[in-house]
């Protein structure tokens, strides 16, 4: 069996690992302390926030089949929130979804976490470790391998391992940096894929907010989305509001002082919701630099057989959670053919 490194533990990495687990010796390395990538959940001071992706759909047969497996099916629930649109100077107006929308439960990272944990014994997972330089080991007498080092280590002799294949599920810009000193043939495609940032404002309240919605889309504002976290199935009954900024506004302000950004979003939220600022007993801000795909790669994945490197993720196909799954699964199936050849 060959040794395969998967960078990340989000949905693309989860699909990859499930496809390759019994075909190779698979190792996953994740820079965060938890699973899920942008399917993220944060708990602070008794409050709970899904501060990344809010929901997902399942339109393809492949993703539907994955979600109906016993482990994965136990980690999802359909969400039917009260939907509205908010716009300054106009009365709120209701809207509807015309297809099922799902959340992972009891938190957004549960789906990736439990799916990967079900593979324990067949895969190795390292959390809280960021991959740094890749060094090609080529003796000339045997197929080359990649020696992988951690990022920013004082001990240059420390290595994370040696692998036949390195597969990145990180955003295209981060993958481009990781593969910069390799002969990866798709570096231009990585550069061409573009992302937009987003701020996630997490508000904990001392009483239930008086809302006539569970999810609000906001127009003509620094805010794009407001979600009552407790409205999702199998969540705790905490008074938690999640506010996503507008992507273009985040792009213009991403390098600004974070305390100022947080206060601006708090002020905008209070104004939109007629919320008393004194009711906010907890606030936190997270910046997602690669939150939304602006320009996708328009490929299922990027695979370079000669360099034994590949990249996949939602940014390959469009940006949805299902896109991440399909990209990862399709790369995995293609790699299985190469490993068996």
């Amino acid at each position: 069996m060959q040794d395969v490194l998967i960078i990340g533990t989000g949905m693309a990495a989860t699909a990859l690992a499930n496809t390759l687990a019994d075909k190779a010796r698979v190792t996953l390395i994740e820079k965060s302390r938890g699973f899920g990538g942008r399917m993220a959940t944060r708990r602070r001071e008794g409050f709970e926030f899904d501060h990344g992706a809010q929901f997902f759909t399942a339109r393809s047969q492949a993703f539907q089949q994955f979600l109906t497996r016993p482990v994965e099916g136990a980690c999802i629930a359909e969400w039917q929130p009260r939907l509205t649109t908010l716009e300054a100077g106009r009365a709120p107006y209701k809207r509807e979804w015309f297809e099922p929308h799902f959340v992972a439960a009891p938190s957004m990272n549960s789906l990736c976490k439990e799916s990967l944990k079900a593979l324990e014994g067949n895969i190795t997972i390292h959390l809280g470790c960021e991959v740094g330089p890749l060094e090609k080991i080529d003796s000339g007498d045997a197929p080359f391998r990649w020696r992988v080092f951690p990022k920013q280590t004082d001990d240059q002799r420390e290595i994370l391992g040696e692998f036949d294949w390195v597969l990145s599920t990180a955003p295209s810009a981060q993958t481009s940096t990781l593969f910069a000193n390799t002969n990866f043939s798709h570096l231009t495609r990585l550069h061409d894929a573009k992302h937009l940032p987003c701020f996630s404002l997490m508000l904990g309240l001392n009483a239930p907010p008086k809302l006539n919605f569970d999810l609000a889309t906001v127009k003509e504002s620094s805010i794009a989305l407001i979600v009552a976290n407790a409205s999702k199935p199998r969540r705790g009954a905490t008074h938690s509001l999640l506010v996503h900024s507008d992507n273009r506004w985040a792009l213009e302000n991403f390098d600004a002082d974070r305390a100022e950004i947080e206060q601006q979003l708090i002020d905008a939220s209070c104004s939109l919701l007629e919320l008393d600022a004194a009711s906010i007993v907890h606030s936190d801000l997270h910046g997602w630099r690669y939150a939304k795909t602006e320009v996708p790669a328009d490929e299922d994945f990027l695979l370079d057989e000669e360099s034994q490197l590949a990249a996949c993720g939602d940014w390959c196909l469009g940006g949805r959670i299902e896109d991440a799954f399909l990209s990862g699964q399709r790369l995995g199936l293609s790699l299985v053919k190469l490993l068996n050849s």
Side-chain angles (χ1 to χ4, degrees):
M1 278 190 168
Q2 294 195 42
D3 293 292
V4 175
L5 171 63
I6 299 172
I7 299 171
T9 59
M11 183 51 68
T14 299
L16 261 176
N18 273 276
T19 308
L20 296 173
D22 59 351
K23 306 294 192 303
R25 288 185 292 268
V26 175
T27 299
L28 291 90
I29 297 180
E30 166 63 55
K31 70 177 182 179
S32 300
R33 291 175 294 176
F35 297 83
R38 281 166 288 160
M39 294 179 69
T41 300
R42 180 175 294 184
R43 295 175 178 85
R44 294 287 190 276
E45 299 179 2
F47 296 100
E48 180 181 22
F49 307 93
D50 295 330
H51 63 296
Q54 294 301 304
F55 53 79
F56 56 90
T57 55
R59 299 169 183 170
S60 65
Q61 185 178 16
F63 195 37
Q64 291 169 4
Q65 289 176 343
F66 174 75
L67 295 176
T68 55
R69 301 189 328 179
V71 170
E72 289 76 14
C75 297
I76 66 168
E78 185 175 354
W79 184 33
Q80 297 177 314
R82 298 171 298 159
L83 304 174
T84 195
T85 299
L86 303 177
E87 186 174 356
R90 293 189 60 180
Y93 51 95
K94 295 181 180 180
R95 57 192 183 90
E96 295 181 2
W97 279 335
F98 297 100
E99 63 180 323
H101 285 58
F102 302 93
V103 297
S107 56
M108 280 302 287
N109 61 358
S110 298
L111 179 57
C112 296
K113 179 180 179 180
E114 297 305 322
S115 183
L116 290 173
K117 282 193 169 184
L119 299 174
E120 285 182 341
N122 290 330
I123 64 174
T124 301
I125 302 173
H126 299 292
L127 300 177
C129 181
E130 186 170 1
V131 172
L134 306 180
E135 178 183 289
K136 189 175 182 179
I137 308 168
D138 192 351
S139 65
D141 298 326
F144 74 85
R145 287 162 66 85
W146 290 105
R147 180 174 291 154
V148 180
F149 296 85
K151 187 176 182 180
Q152 296 177 337
T153 176
D154 294 330
D155 184 358
Q156 295 301 318
R157 295 171 297 176
E158 180 185 358
I159 65 170
L160 296 175
E162 295 181 2
F163 303 92
D164 298 291
W165 284 84
V166 176
L167 316 177
S168 175
T169 69
S172 58
Q174 293 176 320
T175 299
S176 178
T177 299
L178 182 66
F179 288 174
N181 295 321
T182 71
N183 292 321
F184 187 56
S185 61
H186 301 293
L187 285 175
T188 300
R189 303 301 301 275
L190 289 173
H191 293 150
D192 290 343
K194 304 297 182 185
H195 297 79
L196 290 172
C198 176
F199 289 110
S200 292
L201 175 68
M202 292 156 270
L203 298 177
L205 310 179
N206 60 11
K210 296 179 180 179
L211 304 176
N212 59 1
F213 65 84
D214 300 315
L215 183 153
T217 301
V218 185
K219 293 188 174 182
E220 304 297 327
S221 171
S222 57
I223 292 173
L225 193 73
I226 303 174
V227 177
N229 208 81
S231 68
K232 296 179 179 180
R234 292 158 57 186
R235 269 29 178 207
T238 60
H239 312 314
S240 306
L241 286 181
L242 189 284
V243 179
H244 274 173
S245 75
D246 175 76
N247 296 110
R248 292 291 174 186
W249 186 86
L251 181 63
E252 295 171 1
N253 294 279
F254 202 78
D255 295 323
D257 180 79
R258 290 301 170 91
E260 293 181 6
I261 292 296
E262 183 172 346
Q263 190 58 54
Q264 288 181 48
L265 290 174
I266 289 174
D267 292 343
S269 300
C270 289
S271 177
L272 271 171
L273 303 177
E274 298 182 352
L275 186 68
D276 183 358
S279 67
I280 300 172
V281 294
H282 171 83
S283 68
D284 199 1
L285 185 76
H286 182 84
W288 297 99
R289 187 175 291 275
Y290 308 107
K292 180 180 180 180
T293 303
E294 181 182 28
V295 180
D298 287 330
E299 298 280 357
D300 286 344
F301 50 83
L302 303 177
L303 171 65
D304 184 348
E305 182 177 351
E306 185 173 340
S307 70
Q308 294 169 202
L309 299 170
C312 67
D314 58 350
W315 52 270
C316 286
L317 293 170
R320 298 163 53 243
I321 288 176
E322 185 171 8
D323 292 332
F325 172 84
L326 293 173
S327 179
Q329 185 185 63
R330 290 168 183 173
L331 172 56
L333 292 172
S334 293
L335 195 56
V336 167
K337 294 179 181 178
L338 292 176
L339 296 176
N340 290 335
S341 62

